[in-house]
């Protein structure tokens, strides 16, 4: 759903007022909600809009306070779900992060969706129909917060189990980021600088996607980073061919200092133990 754009101001401010008694702070939050924002218009031109103030709904996207206010208003939905008895009726739990949420049901998923829509309408919110689905596990899967949740296969026991793995879209996104960092136009910079940029991307991605079945995704991203760095080195130093002899894997992770995601995962698991 377009959550940040659709939150009604009046009930949101009532929710805030139950927790904040400082009148000056409440007035500041109200002004923040009504502040004009700049949006891109035709041909890349920017124009200022007062849509939030005119429609009396929506929080400024990108504002530091918007995630806090969205979680505060989202709490109304979660409390309504429980107080109306849907949690017990459908054996359901809500898992949410800001405006993204999943209703985990033991039964009657279609009816649970209808109940959620009714509560959303009462809160003057609408679900994004293109992103809202009913999925039945383990036969089907769904994506949530960058992870694909569904049936996985255990490599040790060769048995299926319900687990998580990095979503294909997020793996594609990090590969595209690595590609952008290693295009020919970036060969002006030093090897150390490029590798440092690659390592920040790899470590950040690995820190987030460290739960569940991640080994296969780690290997694919690692191999892509190695190939792109090797190709970049060949372009920078004008080396013909694929560069496997001049820049073997030992060089990439040794002299160049490229992060090894598989070793990084082992160190991360040890640190969390």
């Amino acid at each position: 759903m377009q959550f940040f754009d659709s939150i009604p101001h009046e009930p949101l401010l009532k929710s805030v007022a139950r927790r904040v008694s400082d009148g000056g702070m409440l007035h500041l939050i109200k002004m923040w909600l009504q502040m004009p924002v700049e949006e891109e218009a035709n041909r890349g031109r920017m124009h200022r809009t007062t849509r939030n103030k005119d429609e009396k709904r929506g929080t400024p996207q990108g504002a530091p306070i918007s995630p806090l206010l969205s979680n505060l208003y989202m709490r109304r939905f979660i409390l309504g779900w429980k107080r109306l008895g849907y949690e017990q009726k459908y054996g359901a739990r809500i898992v949410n992060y800001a405006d993204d949420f999943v209703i985990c049901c033991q039964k009657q998923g279609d009816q649970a969706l209808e109940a959620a829509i009714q509560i959303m309408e009462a809160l003057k919110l609408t679900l994004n129909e293109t992103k809202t689905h009913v999925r039945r596990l383990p036969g089907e899967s769904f994506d949530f917060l960058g992870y694909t949740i569904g049936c996985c296969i255990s490599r040790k026991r060769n048995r299926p189990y319900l687990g998580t793995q990095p979503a294909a879209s997020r793996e594609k996104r990090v590969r595209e980021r690595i590609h952008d960092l290693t295009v020919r136009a970036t060969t002006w910079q030093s090897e150390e600088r490029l590798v440092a940029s690659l390592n920040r991307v790899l470590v950040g991605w690995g820190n987030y996607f460290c739960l569940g079945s991640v080994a296969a995704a780690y290997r694919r991203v690692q191999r892509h980073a190695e190939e792109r760095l090797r190709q970049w080195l060949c372009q920078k130093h004008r080396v013909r061919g694929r560069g496997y002899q001049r820049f073997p894997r030992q060089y990439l992770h040794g002299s160049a200092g490229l992060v090894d995601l598989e070793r990084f995962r082992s160190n991360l698991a040890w640190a969390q133990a």
Side-chain angles (χ1 to χ4, degrees):
M1 58 183 169
Q2 300 296 329
F3 187 69
F4 290 95
D5 290 335
S6 59
I7 298 178
H9 290 174
E10 184 177 351
L12 173 61
L13 289 171
K14 287 182 179 179
S15 296
V16 176
R18 294 192 186 100
R19 297 162 175 82
V20 178
S21 59
D22 189 327
M25 178 60 69
L26 292 173
H27 179 67
L28 180 61
I29 293 174
K30 183 177 180 179
M31 291 176 60
W32 207 327
L33 290 173
Q34 297 178 350
M35 64 185 293
V37 296
E38 288 191 347
E39 295 181 348
E40 186 173 343
N42 296 333
R43 298 180 180 180
R45 295 181 179 178
M46 305 299 293
H47 78 287
R48 180 167 294 188
T49 175
T50 57
R51 183 182 57 189
N52 290 356
K53 182 179 180 180
D54 299 336
E55 299 179 0
K56 298 181 180 180
R57 62 173 55 245
T59 62
Q61 294 196 32
I65 199 173
S66 290
L68 174 61
L69 295 177
S70 68
N71 275 311
L72 187 60
Y73 197 72
M74 189 66 180
R75 188 171 181 271
R76 284 190 166 202
F77 170 72
I78 297 174
L79 290 177
W81 182 264
K82 294 179 179 179
R83 291 175 180 175
L84 291 173
Y86 294 131
E87 183 177 75
Q88 184 175 2
K89 181 178 181 180
Y90 301 119
R93 296 286 299 275
I94 296 177
V95 180
N96 80 292
Y97 180 82
D99 60 326
D100 291 326
F101 71 95
V102 174
I103 301 176
C104 303
C105 304
Q106 296 179 356
K107 53 187 177 181
Q108 298 176 297
D110 295 317
Q111 291 82 351
L113 175 58
E114 291 297 326
I117 293 175
Q118 292 177 7
I119 299 176
M120 286 292 174
E121 290 177 348
L123 295 174
K124 299 180 180 180
L125 299 172
T126 55
L127 288 173
N128 188 328
E129 295 182 359
T130 61
K131 296 182 179 180
T132 304
H133 309 281
V134 176
R135 293 288 185 261
R136 292 171 174 82
L137 304 181
E140 298 177 303
S141 62
F142 65 92
D143 290 352
F144 183 56
L145 301 181
Y147 281 90
T148 295
I149 302 173
C151 183
C152 300
I153 304 297
S154 172
R155 296 180 61 189
K156 293 182 179 180
R157 300 182 179 180
N158 197 28
R159 294 180 180 178
Y161 68 95
L162 193 62
T164 63
Q165 55 187 339
S169 60
R170 295 305 181 91
E171 183 179 333
K172 179 182 178 182
R173 186 182 300 179
V174 72
R175 288 163 64 94
E176 290 175 347
R177 178 58 178 154
I178 292 170
H179 181 275
D180 292 342
L181 288 173
T182 53
V183 295
R184 183 186 293 272
T186 65
T187 53
W188 57 268
Q189 61 186 318
S190 67
E191 177 181 319
E192 292 77 12
R193 182 171 180 174
L194 173 74
V195 172
S197 298
L198 286 173
N199 285 345
R200 282 194 294 270
V201 172
L202 292 172
V203 171
W205 191 84
N207 274 325
Y208 185 82
F209 293 103
C210 61
L211 303 175
S213 179
V214 299
Y218 272 32
R219 283 194 298 271
R220 289 190 294 267
V221 172
Q222 183 70 67
R223 298 297 179 264
H224 181 69
E226 292 171 358
E227 287 296 325
R228 291 299 305 175
L229 176 57
R230 185 178 289 113
Q231 182 177 345
W232 184 89
L233 289 169
C234 288
Q235 293 171 346
K236 182 176 181 63
H237 299 290
R238 298 181 182 180
V239 175
R240 294 183 178 181
R242 303 293 296 274
Y244 288 104
Q245 293 185 350
R246 175 78 177 272
F247 307 110
R249 194 167 189 267
Q250 293 78 2
Y251 175 87
L252 300 181
H253 296 290
S255 300
L258 183 67
V259 165
D260 188 335
L261 272 179
E262 297 180 37
R263 183 176 299 177
F264 169 80
R265 183 193 180 203
S266 300
N267 294 337
L268 185 64
W270 179 85
Q272 293 175 343

